[in-house]
Amino acid sequence: MRARTLADLSAPLMTLRLLAVEFTHLPAPCVEVSTLYPKRLELTFHDDLPGFETWREALNIAPESVVHRVQAGGRTRVLRVHGTFAGAQVMLVGYAEVPAVEPVLAGSGVGS
C-alpha cells in the first residue's frame, strides 16, 4: 500500500471547510480525518447528545438510521450514524453517561 498524501484526504477536508462556513452556529464537535478512512469525516460529541442531534438534523440524516449502543458496563450511551455531505462520508458519534437509576424503597409505591 502506498503512503497517503494530503490530496487523498481532500473529500473530508473540503467537507469540513464547507461545514465550517455553512454551519457556524452549530455546536463544535471533535473532528477527525484519518488516512485509514480517507473519504470519511468524523464528528464526535462527548456528553452532548443534543449537539449530535442538531448536526444529524442539519445534515438531513434520517433519525431511524441512528444506531444506539451501550458500553462501559452499561454506563455510557453511544449514538452512531453516517451520511454523505459534499462528497464525503460523514460519521456522527455521540457519547453520554447513562443516568443512574435511583432505587425505589419497598413500600414507597402508591397503594401500599
Side-chain angles (χ1 to χ4, degrees):
M1 187 167 131
R2 71 173 176 81
R4 299 240 187 242
T5 66
L6 201 55
D8 294 322
L9 303 176
S10 63
L13 292 174
M14 287 299 294
T15 298
L16 180 58
R17 183 176 179 183
L18 289 171
L19 293 175
V21 170
E22 192 169 329
F23 298 116
T24 58
H25 60 288
L26 295 185
C30 292
V31 176
E32 182 177 345
V33 175
S34 170
T35 56
L36 296 175
Y37 303 100
K39 304 246 184 265
R40 181 166 67 187
L41 173 64
E42 188 169 312
L43 306 177
T44 305
F45 303 85
H46 295 274
D47 294 321
D48 186 12
L49 295 184
F52 171 94
E53 183 62 16
T54 299
W55 275 95
R56 185 201 58 74
E57 289 177 359
L59 295 173
N60 201 27
I61 300 173
E64 58 271 10
S65 299
V66 175
V67 175
H68 176 263
R69 293 188 353 238
V70 178
Q71 65 184 32
R75 295 183 317 240
T76 304
R77 294 177 63 184
V78 182
L79 301 180
R80 186 178 300 266
V81 70
H82 59 84
T84 303
F85 186 85
Q89 300 166 6
V90 179
M91 174 75 71
L92 300 178
V93 183
Y95 298 98
E97 287 186 37
V98 172
V101 177
E102 294 188 27
V104 176
L105 299 175
S108 63
V110 176
S112 307

